[in-house]
Structure formats: C-alpha cells, structure tokens
Amino acid sequence: MPSTTTDDASSPKLAALGFCGADDSVNHRHLILLGKTYPTIEWGILFRPDKEGQPRYATRQWVCRLAELLRQNAVADIAPPPIRLAAHLCGSHVNNLLSSSTDTSCAN
C-alpha cells in the first residue's frame, strides 16, 4: 500500500487517488474546485450507453458542461493545475471505440 507519511525517497508515493462515478448529481464547479485543491484526485467518468443518466453514469449533457467549464477556466488562465479526468469505458463503448465508431465530441 503506497504511503505518503514517510520522507524516505525509496518509499512509494501516492500519485493519484481515483473517485469513480461522477454523475449528474455532482456539481461541476465543486468537482473542479476539489480537483484543483487536491491535485492527486482523479475523477473517473463512467461511460456505458445503456446506463447513461443512471447513478454513477453521467449524461452526455453533464460531460459536455464539464468540458465547457474546463475550457472556460483554461481560457481565463485559472485552470492550473488542471484536474485529472479518466474515462472509464464500459459495455459497448469499448468495442465501439476500438472500431472507431464512438462519437467523442460534445457537439449536438
């Protein structure tokens, strides 16, 4: 188990701590604020077409709004350090992405 309580250079250090399942119940600005305050947090967004909009599975609109806010922060130069995001592809999204048929844009 990684430890951050020792100063020993040979000891493992915690590089990231994953919080998985951010969904429409999560306030975008709170997520961004926590991510900037604690840069080791990595926000996992679950993508599974048949569960979109259910708990732990954000809607496309929620994801696009998060992307929009992150772009606005970057333009206003208030983004650093950027927050960590991870896309967790589930179900048919895996095969669709591998076959290049997954739409990754936020365009409507």
Side-chain angles (χ1 to χ4, degrees):
M1 173 181 252
S3 171
T4 59
T5 59
T6 179
D7 291 318
D8 182 359
S10 64
S11 295
K13 301 292 183 206
L14 182 65
L17 176 64
F19 290 120
C20 189
D23 62 20
D24 290 39
S25 70
V26 176
N27 181 294
H28 299 97
R29 294 183 191 283
H30 292 165
L31 183 144
I32 293 169
L33 179 62
L34 283 168
K36 288 180 181 180
T37 303
Y38 304 99
T40 55
I41 294 176
E42 179 178 88
W43 298 102
I45 313 296
L46 298 170
F47 292 93
R48 182 172 167 168
D50 60 322
K51 293 195 179 243
E52 182 179 329
Q54 296 180 26
R56 297 178 49 84
Y57 295 89
T59 60
R60 180 184 193 92
Q61 292 80 12
W62 185 92
V63 173
C64 289
R65 178 67 178 141
L66 177 62
E68 179 184 330
L69 288 171
L70 291 172
R71 277 192 299 271
Q72 289 173 1
N73 282 345
V75 168
D77 198 32
I78 58 174
I83 67 168
R84 296 175 187 234
L85 295 172
H88 293 238
L89 304 180
C90 309
S92 63
H93 267 319
V94 176
N95 289 334
N96 291 344
L97 181 69
L98 293 175
S99 67
S100 300
S101 62
T102 295
D103 180 7
T104 58
S105 72
C106 282
N108 291 329

